[in-house]
Amino acid sequence: MTVRIIHVGLGGWGGNWARTAIPQVTEVEVVGLVDPSAATLEAVRTDLGMPESSAFASLTEALAAVEADAVVITAPAVTHVPLALEALEAGKHVLVEKPFANSTDEALQAVRRAEELGLVLQVSQNYRWYPAPRVVQELLEADAVGELSAIDIDFRQWDNDEPVETYPHYRFPHPMINDMAIHHFDLLRMVTGREAVRVYARASYPSYSKYQDEAITSMVIELEGGLVVSYRGSWLSRAPRTAWAGEWSIQGEDGELWFTSRDGSPSEVAGDRVTLRKDQDAAAEPVELPSMQHADRQGGLQAFARSVEGGPAPETSGRDNLRSLAVMEAAGRSAVSGVPEDVVLPD
């Protein structure tokens, strides 16, 4: 079975989805394209060689005109939940880009409705679909470094050269926490198998920043069992850049696991690296990484298609992603309040 999808949101990153990610996954077929911009819609339709009858200005029009099984949403974040609810009410499964929503309360509306209707609702946490974090998850499950004592995460990029008037990233709400650190929060939950319970975040606002909200954030994240994570993230760093998944040092009684992931262009896995050091004075030994049929968004899209076809529930289901979203929300509250904030899940 091929899962027929309507793709909503084709500008910027959504256009990249349409042209480079979705076509690589043979388990899906695009039957409808949606974007309110006629120029953007026509450009993507032409590039994909799809008929004019497959292009629509709204999801409402597309749902009424084409037979589809699912909706993929890569529109702006503020539209994620309204579009997801419209798709779910039409009986369609949903894959939505991160961040799922800007609050857990809003996201919960879609989660509950999907569960009531028995439909798949998955969030695209694409950083999970790389070999390095997959291997680290397995090694930690196997107790490779013994009892954990600390985790350090660093993310560094310079993104401050574009014109303010035309670069939408500068206007993204809470770009360091909501747009970037959400990836790292989700990876942290994945590799450790632990949930976050408390976050203390401090944001920096240098005068040269073009961002409307925080572009630099330092955090202390407390996980279940008292494990403390030190996080430093910056869009304004002149220090050596990290990969998009950051650089991780996971320390335990019997050694250190170090890894980095998602370097270079989306889906490239050559930059993924994992090392294991058994002693402070010993050399770090590289860990062999497996090959994967699909990485990045393609891996998540393939998992989504298989869930729609009756396979296992997605590991980044809407319900599970509420826990990553709750860490993001607590970090945002702490950055404003200046005090540690508990990670609170909605009822």
Side-chain angles (χ1 to χ4, degrees):
M1 172 183 172
T2 300
V3 176
R4 300 164 299 176
I5 64 174
I6 296 170
H7 182 190
V8 185
L10 309 175
W13 190 235
N16 186 280
W17 265 86
R19 294 179 176 94
T20 66
I22 295 175
Q24 295 186 38
V25 181
T26 59
E27 288 94 336
V28 303
E29 175 191 4
V30 179
V31 295
L33 297 169
V34 177
D35 199 279
S37 166
T40 298
L41 183 61
E42 180 61 15
V44 173
R45 183 195 71 78
T46 301
D47 287 349
L48 297 182
M50 294 181 63
E52 292 183 3
S53 59
S54 66
F56 305 93
S58 71
L59 177 57
T60 304
E61 294 175 27
L63 289 169
V66 300
E67 292 292 329
D69 306 299
V71 174
V72 173
I73 301 169
T74 60
V78 294
T79 69
H80 285 179
V81 170
L83 288 170
L85 286 170
E86 181 178 1
L88 292 167
E89 294 299 341
K92 312 304 178 187
H93 305 280
V94 173
L95 173 63
V96 60
E97 252 288 9
K98 65 83 208 165
F100 186 0
N102 283 320
S103 75
T104 52
D105 286 338
E106 184 189 18
L108 186 60
Q109 298 175 53
V111 170
R112 286 176 173 164
R113 194 61 182 136
E115 292 172 348
E116 290 167 358
L117 295 169
L119 295 168
V120 176
L121 173 59
Q122 178 179 326
V123 180
S124 178
Q125 291 288 174
N126 53 312
Y127 285 26
R128 289 193 181 209
W129 298 99
Y130 277 83
R134 293 272 166 185
V135 164
V136 169
Q137 180 186 32
E138 293 171 0
L139 288 169
L140 291 179
E141 287 175 349
D143 209 28
V145 293
E147 180 184 348
L148 298 186
S149 57
I151 299 177
D152 299 326
I153 307 169
D154 283 293
F155 170 81
R156 300 182 300 272
Q157 292 281 338
W158 174 263
D159 184 30
N160 203 50
D161 293 330
E162 302 299 326
V164 173
E165 300 78 15
T166 58
Y167 192 54
H169 199 221
Y170 294 148
R171 300 186 299 276
F172 194 98
H174 306 291
M176 191 62 249
I177 294 173
N178 290 19
D179 187 43
M180 197 65 238
I182 180 65
H183 284 296
H184 307 131
F185 298 149
D186 190 71
L187 279 181
L188 184 61
R189 296 181 53 241
M190 171 195 169
V191 300
T192 65
R194 304 194 197 192
E195 301 297 343
V197 297
R198 194 168 294 102
V199 183
Y200 177 49
R202 298 297 292 164
S204 301
Y205 298 87
S207 62
Y208 59 83
S209 175
K210 295 181 179 180
Y211 283 84
Q212 70 172 17
D213 288 343
E214 83 291 325
I216 304 173
T217 309
S218 297
M219 291 178 253
V220 175
I221 305 166
E222 181 185 346
L223 303 183
E224 293 171 324
L227 181 62
V228 174
V229 179
S230 172
Y231 179 94
R232 298 184 297 180
S234 176
W235 284 117
L236 304 174
S237 177
R238 291 297 195 182
R241 62 172 294 278
T242 67
W244 294 103
E247 295 175 348
W248 296 57
S249 171
I250 303 174
Q251 301 142 45
E253 181 182 8
D254 301 323
E256 179 215 30
L257 268 174
W258 182 94
F259 85 92
T260 189
S261 179
R262 200 179 183 273
D263 201 5
S265 301
S267 304
E268 288 185 7
V269 299
D272 272 42
R273 289 186 293 139
V274 179
T275 63
L276 178 60
R277 185 194 310 271
K278 285 296 187 180
D279 183 83
Q280 224 172 20
D281 300 319
E285 299 292 336
V287 176
E288 184 177 357
L289 302 182
S291 60
M292 299 175 65
Q293 181 184 7
H294 288 302
D296 202 88
R297 295 163 292 173
Q298 294 93 299
L301 181 57
Q302 182 182 56
F304 174 70
R306 291 177 176 177
S307 295
V308 168
E309 293 171 354
E315 64 180 72
T316 57
S317 67
R319 173 64 67 180
D320 178 83
N321 197 250
L322 289 174
R323 297 182 179 275
S324 296
L325 203 60
V327 186
M328 180 193 85
E329 203 169 43
R333 291 198 310 271
S334 179
V336 172
S337 69
V339 299
E341 296 282 352
D342 291 340
V343 176
V344 180
L345 284 174
D347 294 331

